[in-house]
Amino acid sequence: MNSDVLRWLQAQLGPDTDPNDLTARYERLHSAKAVALELLHERMAALVAEPLKVTVNGVATIDNSANVAALERRAAQLIDETAPDDPPATRHDVLTTIPLFARLRR
């Protein structure tokens, strides 16, 4: 994984994300988007594994449902973004010439 991909991943996932973990995942998945999506899904799973909302009457309320929704939105946005290791997009508006030859008649 090159430094551009590492910087992009840290920009998507936060600067505190372990670069060694990112590198190991990239070597396994071979795609920056796949690494980012895997980490986002792990973060969502960790939040959902615990109660999303806990209230201690008159003391405190902890609500993680907005965090789950934010991670889901981020994962959806990531699919449409361009990662540094994405292959170049194919263009459909390119003009191409094809030589035509007359067929032999019988």
Side-chain angles (χ1 to χ4, degrees):
M1 172 170 58
N2 65 34
S3 62
D4 290 339
V5 172
L6 180 61
R7 281 194 300 272
W8 185 84
L9 283 169
Q10 288 180 323
Q12 304 304 313
L13 302 167
D16 294 337
T17 308
D18 181 21
N20 295 325
D21 181 40
L22 293 175
T23 301
R25 289 174 191 259
Y26 188 81
E27 287 176 6
R28 180 173 49 87
L29 298 170
H30 306 291
S31 164
K33 276 188 189 178
V35 170
L37 288 171
E38 182 178 76
L39 271 166
L40 289 174
H41 285 114
E42 282 180 11
R43 290 175 183 177
M44 281 187 274
L47 286 173
V48 173
E50 300 294 325
L52 287 178
K53 188 172 184 177
V54 176
T55 302
V56 178
N57 289 334
V59 179
T61 299
I62 299 172
D63 188 358
N64 284 324
S65 57
N67 293 343
V68 173
L71 288 171
E72 288 172 342
R73 283 192 308 273
R74 186 66 199 120
Q77 290 171 347
L78 235 148
I79 293 171
D80 294 330
E81 287 189 21
T82 303
D85 65 343
D86 282 350
T90 56
R91 294 186 51 170
H92 298 286
D93 61 347
V94 176
L95 181 62
T96 313
T97 59
I98 300 172
L100 300 175
F101 297 99
R103 289 184 7 183
L104 298 172
R105 297 180 187 238
R106 294 184 203 205

XYZ file of all heavy atoms in Angstrom:
820
model
N 0.863 -1.171 0.000
C 0.000 0.000 0.000
C 0.903 1.224 0.000
O 1.817 1.334 0.805
C -0.892 -0.039 1.245
C -1.686 1.218 1.433
S -2.967 1.150 2.696
C -2.088 0.735 4.153
N 0.602 2.158 -0.899
C 1.418 3.367 -0.960
C 0.901 4.429 0.009
O -0.161 4.291 0.608
C 1.518 3.895 -2.397
C 0.183 4.356 -2.945
O -0.653 4.876 -2.225
N -0.004 4.160 -4.242
N 1.655 5.502 0.144
C 1.323 6.533 1.126
C 0.039 7.280 0.770
O -0.673 7.737 1.668
C 2.485 7.515 1.281
O 2.738 8.170 0.052
N -0.281 7.409 -0.516
C -1.534 8.071 -0.910
C -2.747 7.293 -0.407
O -3.712 7.875 0.086
C -1.617 8.229 -2.428
C -0.638 9.247 -2.966
O -0.184 10.111 -2.181
O -0.323 9.172 -4.166
N -2.697 5.995 -0.544
C -3.801 5.145 -0.093
C -3.920 5.215 1.427
O -5.026 5.341 1.962
C -3.604 3.686 -0.573
C -4.635 2.758 0.044
C -3.662 3.612 -2.090
N -2.785 5.176 2.123
C -2.809 5.257 3.590
C -3.390 6.585 4.057
O -4.242 6.611 4.956
C -1.406 5.059 4.160
C -1.288 5.131 5.676
C -2.136 4.052 6.341
C 0.158 5.012 6.098
N -2.969 7.681 3.433
C -3.512 8.993 3.804
C -5.011 9.071 3.525
O -5.774 9.623 4.307
C -2.765 10.110 3.068
C -1.431 10.444 3.706
C -0.870 11.757 3.183
N -0.655 11.762 1.741
C 0.456 11.366 1.143
N 1.474 10.948 1.851
N 0.563 11.404 -0.157
N -5.454 8.516 2.400
C -6.877 8.525 2.064
C -7.672 7.729 3.098
O -8.729 8.169 3.559
C -7.090 7.949 0.667
C -8.499 8.024 0.186
C -9.115 9.079 -0.407
C -9.489 6.986 0.261
N -10.421 8.763 -0.698
C -10.677 7.484 -0.301
C -9.472 5.682 0.749
C -11.840 6.728 -0.394
C -10.630 4.927 0.668
C -11.800 5.447 0.100
N -7.157 6.550 3.464
C -7.848 5.732 4.461
C -7.930 6.443 5.806
O -8.971 6.428 6.464
C -7.137 4.381 4.621
C -7.411 3.368 3.517
C -6.455 2.188 3.614
C -8.852 2.897 3.576
N -6.852 7.090 6.219
C -6.876 7.803 7.491
C -7.802 9.014 7.429
O -8.436 9.353 8.423
C -5.468 8.208 7.908
C -4.654 7.004 8.362
C -3.254 7.354 8.772
O -2.614 8.223 8.183
N -2.749 6.661 9.777
N -7.921 9.628 6.269
C -8.853 10.746 6.122
C -10.301 10.249 6.215
O -11.169 10.945 6.746
C -8.629 11.453 4.790
N -10.561 9.047 5.719
C -11.917 8.494 5.759
C -12.283 7.941 7.134
O -13.428 8.031 7.563
C -12.076 7.377 4.721
C -11.757 7.770 3.302
C -12.561 8.954 2.821
O -13.761 9.010 3.001
N -11.890 9.910 2.206
N -11.290 7.360 7.818
C -11.559 6.611 9.041
C -11.072 7.297 10.305
O -11.350 6.823 11.404
C -10.909 5.225 8.938
C -11.379 4.396 7.749
C -10.480 3.198 7.551
C -12.825 3.976 7.943
N -10.334 8.369 10.176
C -9.812 9.080 11.337
C -8.313 8.874 11.473
O -7.793 7.804 11.152
N -7.611 9.895 11.941
C -6.145 9.827 12.017
C -5.644 8.857 13.085
O -4.484 8.454 13.047
C -5.744 11.264 12.356
C -6.945 11.856 13.004
C -8.126 11.183 12.381
N -6.494 8.450 14.016
C -6.058 7.527 15.068
C -6.135 6.063 14.651
O -5.764 5.183 15.426
C -6.907 7.735 16.327
C -6.684 9.109 16.944
O -5.613 9.703 16.689
O -7.577 9.585 17.658
N -6.605 5.796 13.441
C -6.697 4.422 12.957
C -5.288 3.870 12.768
O -4.431 4.520 12.179
C -7.469 4.374 11.625
O -8.712 5.056 11.788
C -7.745 2.952 11.211
N -5.055 2.682 13.283
C -3.733 2.064 13.268
C -3.260 1.790 11.836
O -3.898 1.024 11.117
C -3.779 0.764 14.070
C -2.441 0.056 14.133
O -1.395 0.705 13.932
O -2.442 -1.163 14.407
N -2.143 2.407 11.416
C -1.645 2.179 10.049
C -1.255 0.730 9.793
O -1.404 0.234 8.673
C -0.423 3.094 9.932
C -0.411 3.948 11.132
C -1.344 3.380 12.132
N -0.762 0.027 10.806
C -0.396 -1.379 10.619
C -1.635 -2.229 10.348
O -1.598 -3.146 9.522
C 0.352 -1.903 11.848
C 1.680 -1.202 12.024
O 2.348 -0.848 11.061
N 2.062 -0.984 13.271
N -2.728 -1.931 11.040
C -3.985 -2.635 10.803
C -4.494 -2.349 9.396
O -4.939 -3.253 8.686
C -5.021 -2.226 11.848
C -6.343 -2.947 11.674
O -6.331 -4.157 11.370
O -7.394 -2.294 11.833
N -4.412 -1.087 8.987
C -4.851 -0.718 7.635
C -4.030 -1.442 6.580
O -4.565 -1.948 5.589
C -4.758 0.795 7.441
C -5.709 1.647 8.274
C -5.412 3.129 8.055
C -7.151 1.340 7.944
N -2.716 -1.510 6.798
C -1.830 -2.179 5.838
C -2.161 -3.667 5.747
O -2.232 -4.226 4.647
C -0.361 -1.967 6.240
O -0.097 -0.564 6.280
C 0.573 -2.624 5.257
N -2.359 -4.311 6.884
C -2.681 -5.747 6.883
C -4.008 -6.008 6.169
O -4.132 -6.948 5.380
C -2.737 -6.270 8.320
N -4.998 -5.163 6.428
C -6.291 -5.332 5.762
C -6.160 -5.088 4.259
O -6.776 -5.785 3.454
C -7.320 -4.371 6.354
C -7.758 -4.731 7.746
C -8.659 -3.647 8.300
N -8.917 -3.791 9.701
C -10.019 -4.302 10.221
N -10.989 -4.723 9.437
N -10.165 -4.388 11.520
N -5.365 -4.080 3.873
C -5.189 -3.772 2.457
C -4.510 -4.930 1.731
O -4.878 -5.258 0.599
C -4.390 -2.484 2.283
C -4.338 -2.008 0.862
C -5.396 -1.295 0.312
C -3.247 -2.282 0.040
C -5.367 -0.866 -0.994
C -3.209 -1.856 -1.269
C -4.267 -1.147 -1.784
O -4.241 -0.722 -3.087
N -3.538 -5.554 2.371
C -2.857 -6.692 1.744
C -3.822 -7.865 1.553
O -3.705 -8.623 0.593
C -1.662 -7.120 2.585
C -0.512 -6.140 2.502
C 0.642 -6.497 3.418
O 0.616 -7.572 4.047
O 1.581 -5.685 3.501
N -4.797 -7.987 2.448
C -5.776 -9.077 2.344
C -6.874 -8.754 1.338
O -7.290 -9.610 0.554
C -6.391 -9.342 3.725
C -7.422 -10.430 3.763
C -7.854 -10.763 5.180
N -8.214 -9.619 5.991
C -9.440 -9.068 6.025
N -10.398 -9.558 5.283
N -9.683 -8.036 6.807
N -7.339 -7.503 1.321
C -8.497 -7.128 0.505
C -8.129 -6.499 -0.840
O -8.953 -6.467 -1.753
C -9.389 -6.158 1.294
C -9.987 -6.729 2.579
C -10.650 -5.630 3.393
C -10.977 -7.829 2.260
N -6.939 -5.930 -0.957
C -6.437 -5.330 -2.205
C -7.266 -4.150 -2.701
O -7.312 -3.875 -3.897
C -6.325 -6.374 -3.321
C -5.512 -7.569 -2.947
N -4.162 -7.509 -2.748
C -5.875 -8.843 -2.696
C -3.717 -8.698 -2.410
N -4.749 -9.536 -2.366
N -7.947 -3.437 -1.803
C -8.762 -2.297 -2.205
C -8.945 -1.368 -1.017
O -9.327 -1.800 0.070
C -10.124 -2.778 -2.707
O -11.042 -1.709 -2.761
N -8.684 -0.086 -1.233
C -8.844 0.902 -0.164
C -10.312 1.019 0.248
O -10.622 1.110 1.440
C -8.301 2.258 -0.619
N -11.216 1.004 -0.720
C -12.644 1.081 -0.386
C -13.084 -0.114 0.440
O -13.856 0.019 1.383
C -13.489 1.161 -1.656
C -13.625 2.527 -2.215
C -14.634 2.499 -3.345
C -14.637 3.808 -4.080
N -15.557 3.791 -5.208
N -12.596 -1.298 0.086
C -12.973 -2.505 0.835
C -12.475 -2.417 2.277
O -13.188 -2.805 3.203
C -12.418 -3.752 0.149
N -11.275 -1.882 2.467
C -10.737 -1.712 3.818
C -11.598 -0.737 4.608
O -11.988 -1.009 5.749
C -9.267 -1.231 3.763
C -8.779 -0.811 5.145
C -8.367 -2.302 3.180
N -11.910 0.398 4.009
C -12.710 1.412 4.696
C -14.102 0.873 5.034
O -14.589 1.065 6.155
C -12.818 2.664 3.838
N -14.725 0.194 4.100
C -16.060 -0.359 4.354
C -16.031 -1.436 5.431
O -16.920 -1.504 6.281
C -16.661 -0.911 3.060
C -17.104 0.141 2.054
C -17.472 -0.508 0.716
C -18.274 0.936 2.593
N -15.003 -2.276 5.417
C -14.889 -3.309 6.437
C -14.770 -2.683 7.830
O -15.448 -3.108 8.776
C -13.684 -4.206 6.159
C -13.532 -5.343 7.157
C -12.369 -6.252 6.832
O -11.210 -5.846 7.082
O -12.634 -7.375 6.349
N -13.944 -1.664 7.959
C -13.785 -1.006 9.260
C -15.063 -0.298 9.700
O -15.436 -0.353 10.874
C -12.618 -0.023 9.212
C -11.269 -0.634 9.585
C -10.133 0.269 9.197
C -11.221 -0.956 11.056
N -15.732 0.371 8.769
C -16.991 1.029 9.119
C -18.039 0.019 9.574
O -18.763 0.247 10.543
C -17.512 1.852 7.942
C -16.735 3.121 7.611
C -17.263 3.757 6.333
C -16.795 4.108 8.768
N -18.113 -1.122 8.892
C -19.073 -2.155 9.280
C -18.720 -2.760 10.638
O -19.612 -3.078 11.429
C -19.172 -3.230 8.202
C -19.939 -2.769 7.005
N -19.362 -2.611 5.773
C -21.232 -2.402 6.859
C -20.271 -2.175 4.921
N -21.409 -2.030 5.559
N -17.436 -2.904 10.924
C -17.036 -3.391 12.241
C -17.435 -2.400 13.334
O -17.890 -2.798 14.407
C -15.524 -3.634 12.288
C -15.095 -4.904 11.618
C -13.582 -5.114 11.678
O -12.887 -4.376 12.415
O -13.108 -6.020 10.991
N -17.265 -1.115 13.063
C -17.641 -0.097 14.038
C -19.159 -0.102 14.272
O -19.610 0.035 15.400
C -17.166 1.280 13.586
C -15.657 1.422 13.644
C -15.198 2.740 13.085
N -13.740 2.828 13.089
C -13.047 3.840 12.617
N -13.680 4.890 12.102
N -11.737 3.836 12.658
N -19.918 -0.262 13.189
C -21.378 -0.344 13.332
C -21.774 -1.575 14.139
O -22.631 -1.499 15.024
C -22.059 -0.396 11.959
C -22.175 0.935 11.285
S -23.146 0.835 9.769
C -21.905 0.372 8.580
N -21.138 -2.704 13.856
C -21.464 -3.943 14.562
C -21.150 -3.817 16.049
O -21.909 -4.316 16.888
C -20.692 -5.111 13.955
N -20.068 -3.155 16.373
C -19.716 -2.965 17.782
C -20.752 -2.099 18.496
O -21.116 -2.373 19.645
C -18.332 -2.332 17.898
N -21.244 -1.075 17.813
C -22.268 -0.223 18.423
C -23.593 -0.962 18.581
O -24.277 -0.833 19.591
C -22.473 1.041 17.590
C -21.386 2.105 17.677
C -21.649 3.217 16.669
C -21.306 2.680 19.078
N -23.962 -1.734 17.580
C -25.244 -2.438 17.601
C -25.222 -3.612 18.587
O -26.257 -3.998 19.115
C -25.613 -2.904 16.168
C -26.838 -3.793 16.150
C -25.842 -1.699 15.277
N -24.036 -4.164 18.863
C -23.927 -5.290 19.794
C -24.320 -4.892 21.214
O -24.771 -5.721 21.994
C -22.512 -5.849 19.784
N -24.156 -3.630 21.538
C -24.528 -3.108 22.848
C -25.875 -2.392 22.729
O -26.283 -2.016 21.634
C -23.465 -2.119 23.335
C -22.077 -2.727 23.479
C -22.007 -3.780 24.567
O -22.693 -3.629 25.601
O -21.285 -4.773 24.367
N -26.563 -2.169 23.840
C -27.809 -1.398 23.760
C -27.537 -0.010 23.167
O -26.574 0.652 23.553
C -28.267 -1.285 25.213
C -27.552 -2.369 25.934
C -26.280 -2.612 25.192
N -28.373 0.397 22.202
C -28.150 1.690 21.552
C -28.489 2.863 22.465
O -27.926 3.934 22.330
C -28.967 1.787 20.264
C -28.464 0.939 19.105
C -29.389 1.093 17.903
C -27.049 1.296 18.731
N -29.404 2.638 23.378
C -29.808 3.733 24.261
C -29.912 3.220 25.695
O -30.567 2.217 25.955
C -31.147 4.318 23.816
C -31.543 5.566 24.550
C -32.780 6.183 23.927
C -33.103 7.502 24.611
N -34.236 8.175 23.998
N -29.232 3.917 26.589
C -29.265 3.576 28.010
C -29.635 4.842 28.765
O -29.042 5.901 28.562
C -27.890 3.053 28.493
C -27.905 2.791 29.987
C -27.492 1.814 27.721
N -30.625 4.727 29.642
C -31.061 5.873 30.431
C -31.036 5.512 31.911
O -31.584 4.489 32.315
C -32.485 6.299 30.040
O -32.505 6.608 28.653
C -32.933 7.512 30.837
N -30.386 6.337 32.697
C -30.450 6.251 34.146
C -31.281 7.448 34.572
O -30.848 8.595 34.428
C -29.040 6.287 34.776
C -29.138 6.236 36.297
C -28.179 5.146 34.238
N -32.488 7.185 35.018
C -33.451 8.259 35.307
C -32.854 9.349 36.188
O -32.355 9.087 37.270
C -34.711 7.696 35.971
C -35.542 6.906 34.987
O -35.479 7.140 33.782
N -36.313 5.966 35.498
N -32.926 10.560 35.686
C -32.463 11.722 36.421
C -30.964 11.888 36.466
O -30.459 12.849 37.029
N -30.208 10.947 35.870
C -28.748 11.036 35.934
C -28.141 11.257 34.556
O -27.478 12.268 34.316
C -28.143 9.770 36.589
C -26.624 9.862 36.624
C -28.702 9.567 37.983
N -28.350 10.322 33.641
C -27.713 10.425 32.320
C -28.453 9.573 31.304
O -29.138 8.610 31.655
C -26.257 9.975 32.399
N -28.303 9.954 30.054
C -28.813 9.179 28.927
C -27.706 9.072 27.894
O -27.082 10.068 27.533
C -30.041 9.854 28.287
O -31.076 9.945 29.261
C -30.536 9.070 27.095
N -27.452 7.855 27.436
C -26.467 7.624 26.379
C -27.228 7.042 25.199
O -27.892 6.014 25.329
C -25.356 6.668 26.837
C -24.604 7.269 28.020
C -24.407 6.364 25.688
C -23.609 6.321 28.653
N -27.139 7.692 24.046
C -27.859 7.264 22.848
C -26.881 7.171 21.680
O -26.352 8.178 21.214
C -28.979 8.253 22.534
C -29.885 7.760 21.418
O -29.627 6.670 20.867
O -30.859 8.468 21.114
N -26.620 5.957 21.214
C -25.681 5.732 20.106
C -26.372 5.523 18.771
O -25.706 5.232 17.783
C -24.784 4.527 20.414
C -23.712 4.858 21.422
O -23.185 5.972 21.429
N -23.386 3.909 22.281
N -27.689 5.664 18.702
C -28.390 5.425 17.445
C -27.982 6.431 16.368
O -27.901 6.075 15.193
C -29.900 5.443 17.652
O -30.303 6.672 18.211
N -27.691 7.665 16.752
C -27.237 8.653 15.769
C -25.855 8.281 15.223
O -25.561 8.524 14.049
C -27.197 10.042 16.392
N -25.025 7.677 16.063
C -23.699 7.251 15.602
C -23.807 6.135 14.569
O -23.076 6.116 13.578
C -22.850 6.787 16.784
C -22.509 7.911 17.725
O -22.627 9.077 17.383
N -22.101 7.566 18.935
N -24.720 5.208 14.795
C -24.931 4.119 13.829
C -25.427 4.694 12.505
O -24.944 4.320 11.433
C -25.914 3.065 14.384
C -26.271 2.037 13.323
C -25.327 2.387 15.608
N -26.371 5.603 12.566
C -26.896 6.222 11.344
C -25.796 6.980 10.606
O -25.716 6.935 9.368
C -28.054 7.158 11.679
N -24.933 7.671 11.340
C -23.833 8.408 10.709
C -22.863 7.455 10.025
O -22.390 7.730 8.906
C -23.106 9.259 11.741
N -22.551 6.338 10.658
C -21.660 5.354 10.036
C -22.300 4.737 8.789
O -21.617 4.489 7.791
C -21.287 4.270 11.044
C -20.328 4.689 12.157
C -20.210 3.592 13.203
C -18.968 5.047 11.594
N -23.603 4.490 8.831
C -24.301 3.957 7.651
C -24.258 4.952 6.500
O -24.032 4.562 5.347
C -25.743 3.623 7.999
C -25.895 2.403 8.875
C -27.318 2.195 9.376
O -28.126 3.156 9.340
O -27.613 1.070 9.806
N -24.479 6.232 6.798
C -24.399 7.263 5.746
C -22.995 7.343 5.174
O -22.811 7.464 3.961
C -24.821 8.620 6.297
C -26.298 8.806 6.451
C -26.665 10.267 6.718
N -25.913 10.868 7.817
C -26.258 10.808 9.102
N -27.352 10.169 9.454
N -25.521 11.394 10.023
N -21.998 7.271 6.037
C -20.606 7.355 5.580
C -20.267 6.185 4.674
O -19.597 6.340 3.657
C -19.673 7.401 6.791
C -18.242 7.640 6.435
C -18.083 9.054 5.845
N -16.849 9.119 5.103
C -16.761 9.393 3.806
N -17.824 9.690 3.102
N -15.611 9.408 3.197
N -20.715 4.980 5.028
C -20.459 3.799 4.196
C -21.121 3.959 2.828
O -20.537 3.613 1.797
C -20.951 2.539 4.900
N -22.336 4.505 2.800
C -23.028 4.721 1.522
C -22.297 5.760 0.674
O -22.192 5.609 -0.547
C -24.467 5.151 1.776
N -21.789 6.799 1.291
C -21.042 7.837 0.561
C -19.741 7.288 0.010
O -19.323 7.648 -1.088
C -20.723 9.022 1.471
C -21.906 9.858 1.864
C -21.540 10.878 2.941
O -20.484 10.807 3.553
N -22.439 11.819 3.176
N -19.100 6.419 0.772
C -17.803 5.886 0.373
C -17.872 5.093 -0.925
O -16.934 5.082 -1.711
C -17.282 4.973 1.485
C -15.914 5.328 1.988
C -15.791 4.983 3.439
C -14.867 4.658 1.187
N -19.001 4.450 -1.153
C -19.142 3.632 -2.363
C -19.030 4.494 -3.618
O -18.456 4.080 -4.620
C -20.476 2.858 -2.324
C -20.405 1.820 -1.201
C -20.786 2.199 -3.653
C -21.714 1.141 -0.897
N -19.541 5.734 -3.559
C -19.515 6.613 -4.726
C -18.225 7.423 -4.859
O -17.988 8.014 -5.897
C -20.700 7.578 -4.676
C -22.023 6.849 -4.812
O -22.049 5.789 -5.475
O -23.021 7.325 -4.250
N -17.404 7.458 -3.823
C -16.168 8.229 -3.877
C -15.099 7.486 -4.661
O -15.152 6.279 -4.826
C -15.654 8.518 -2.463
C -16.466 9.554 -1.745
C -15.817 9.987 -0.441
O -14.595 9.795 -0.276
O -16.551 10.506 0.400
N -14.111 8.234 -5.108
C -12.988 7.654 -5.830
C -11.821 7.496 -4.878
O -11.382 8.460 -4.261
C -12.579 8.550 -7.007
O -13.716 8.740 -7.852
C -11.448 7.936 -7.799
N -11.332 6.281 -4.756
C -10.162 5.998 -3.928
C -8.913 6.097 -4.803
O -8.991 5.950 -6.025
C -10.277 4.611 -3.320
N -7.751 6.340 -4.188
C -6.529 6.480 -4.982
C -6.141 5.230 -5.764
O -5.442 5.322 -6.766
C -5.447 6.786 -3.946
C -6.135 7.106 -2.694
C -7.523 6.582 -2.776
N -6.615 4.064 -5.340
C -6.256 2.834 -6.039
C -7.355 2.320 -6.966
O -7.249 1.236 -7.508
C -5.865 1.748 -5.039
C -7.022 1.331 -4.146
O -8.020 2.081 -4.065
O -6.924 0.270 -3.513
N -8.415 3.114 -7.151
C -9.481 2.717 -8.077
C -8.953 2.732 -9.506
O -8.185 3.617 -9.882
C -10.674 3.675 -7.988
C -11.547 3.410 -6.777
O -11.345 2.367 -6.123
O -12.412 4.245 -6.484
N -9.379 1.766 -10.309
C -8.978 1.797 -11.717
C -9.617 2.994 -12.409
O -10.676 3.465 -11.985
C -9.504 0.481 -12.285
C -10.567 0.051 -11.343
C -10.237 0.635 -10.005
N -8.983 3.503 -13.451
C -9.570 4.648 -14.149
C -10.941 4.291 -14.719
O -11.164 3.174 -15.183
C -8.583 4.963 -15.264
C -7.598 3.855 -15.295
C -7.756 3.044 -14.050
N -11.844 5.229 -14.630
C -13.201 5.011 -15.135
C -13.170 4.911 -16.653
O -12.421 5.608 -17.321
C -14.112 6.148 -14.696
N -14.011 4.039 -17.162
C -14.104 3.927 -18.611
C -15.043 5.005 -19.115
O -16.090 5.268 -18.534
C -14.632 2.541 -19.031
O -15.889 2.329 -18.399
C -13.662 1.459 -18.616
N -14.653 5.632 -20.180
C -15.465 6.710 -20.753
C -16.286 6.151 -21.890
O -15.806 5.378 -22.705
C -14.564 7.837 -21.235
C -13.842 8.518 -20.093
C -13.100 9.695 -20.573
N -14.011 10.526 -21.357
C -13.720 11.737 -21.757
N -12.592 12.276 -21.457
N -14.580 12.430 -22.475
N -17.524 6.568 -21.957
C -18.408 6.092 -23.008
C -18.612 7.134 -24.099
O -19.292 6.880 -25.072
C -19.765 5.694 -22.419
C -19.659 4.576 -21.437
N -19.425 3.280 -21.821
C -19.726 4.559 -20.090
C -19.360 2.514 -20.753
N -19.540 3.271 -19.695
N -18.009 8.305 -23.934
C -18.195 9.348 -24.927
C -16.959 9.522 -25.817
O -16.770 10.551 -26.426
C -18.544 10.673 -24.252
C -17.449 11.146 -23.309
O -16.553 10.352 -22.995
O -17.512 12.311 -22.887
N -16.126 8.504 -25.887
C -14.915 8.563 -26.690
C -15.258 8.178 -28.128
O -15.943 7.189 -28.381
C -13.836 7.610 -26.126
C -12.611 7.601 -27.003
C -13.488 8.005 -24.711
N -14.795 8.963 -29.063
C -15.023 8.690 -30.475
C -13.990 7.679 -30.956
O -12.797 7.838 -30.735
C -14.915 9.981 -31.285
C -15.150 9.869 -32.779
C -16.569 9.377 -33.046
C -14.923 11.195 -33.448
N -14.462 6.626 -31.603
C -13.583 5.578 -32.086
C -13.837 5.372 -33.568
O -14.970 5.480 -34.036
C -13.879 4.250 -31.358
O -13.966 4.489 -29.966
C -12.799 3.242 -31.606
N -12.767 5.088 -34.288
C -12.923 4.780 -35.710
C -12.651 3.303 -35.921
O -11.740 2.730 -35.329
C -11.959 5.607 -36.578
O -10.629 5.335 -36.166
C -12.253 7.084 -36.455
N -13.454 2.706 -36.789
C -13.298 1.291 -37.115
C -13.232 1.192 -38.629
O -14.150 1.637 -39.324
C -14.494 0.475 -36.590
C -14.594 0.620 -35.078
C -14.358 -0.983 -36.982
C -15.841 0.017 -34.500
N -12.146 0.638 -39.125
C -12.046 0.513 -40.588
C -13.035 -0.538 -41.110
O -13.210 -1.586 -40.513
C -10.598 0.082 -40.817
C -10.148 -0.500 -39.531
C -10.961 0.147 -38.449
N -13.691 -0.218 -42.200
C -14.632 -1.139 -42.824
C -14.039 -1.644 -44.125
O -13.420 -0.894 -44.877
C -15.961 -0.431 -43.094
C -16.680 0.133 -41.872
C -17.914 0.904 -42.312
C -17.060 -0.980 -40.931
N -14.224 -2.898 -44.387
C -13.714 -3.504 -45.604
C -14.861 -4.165 -46.347
O -15.743 -4.768 -45.729
C -12.648 -4.568 -45.281
C -11.440 -4.014 -44.601
C -11.302 -4.114 -43.217
C -10.455 -3.372 -45.316
C -10.193 -3.603 -42.583
C -9.348 -2.863 -44.689
C -9.213 -2.966 -43.309
N -14.826 -4.095 -47.656
C -15.855 -4.739 -48.461
C -15.650 -6.253 -48.448
O -14.505 -6.727 -48.479
C -15.796 -4.219 -49.904
N -16.753 -6.984 -48.342
C -16.653 -8.435 -48.372
C -16.509 -8.909 -49.809
O -16.997 -8.297 -50.746
C -17.909 -9.048 -47.786
C -17.972 -8.837 -46.310
C -19.139 -9.506 -45.665
N -19.938 -10.364 -46.513
C -21.025 -10.992 -46.134
N -21.454 -10.838 -44.916
N -21.701 -11.752 -46.958
N -15.825 -10.017 -49.976
C -15.680 -10.606 -51.297
C -17.017 -11.192 -51.735
O -17.716 -11.837 -50.937
C -14.609 -11.691 -51.307
C -13.201 -11.224 -50.971
C -12.271 -12.412 -50.828
C -12.713 -10.291 -52.076
N -17.385 -10.954 -52.969
C -18.636 -11.511 -53.478
C -18.365 -12.835 -54.150
O -17.335 -13.056 -54.738
C -19.261 -10.561 -54.486
C -19.624 -9.260 -53.818
C -20.245 -8.331 -54.808
N -20.434 -7.037 -54.185
C -21.587 -6.449 -54.083
N -22.662 -7.028 -54.558
N -21.684 -5.298 -53.505
N -19.355 -13.689 -54.138
C -19.186 -15.028 -54.741
C -19.620 -15.052 -56.144
O -20.444 -14.469 -56.679
C -19.989 -16.047 -53.967
C -19.458 -16.214 -52.591
C -20.260 -17.307 -51.938
N -20.177 -17.145 -50.505
C -20.326 -18.088 -49.676
N -20.606 -19.283 -50.086
N -20.243 -17.899 -48.408
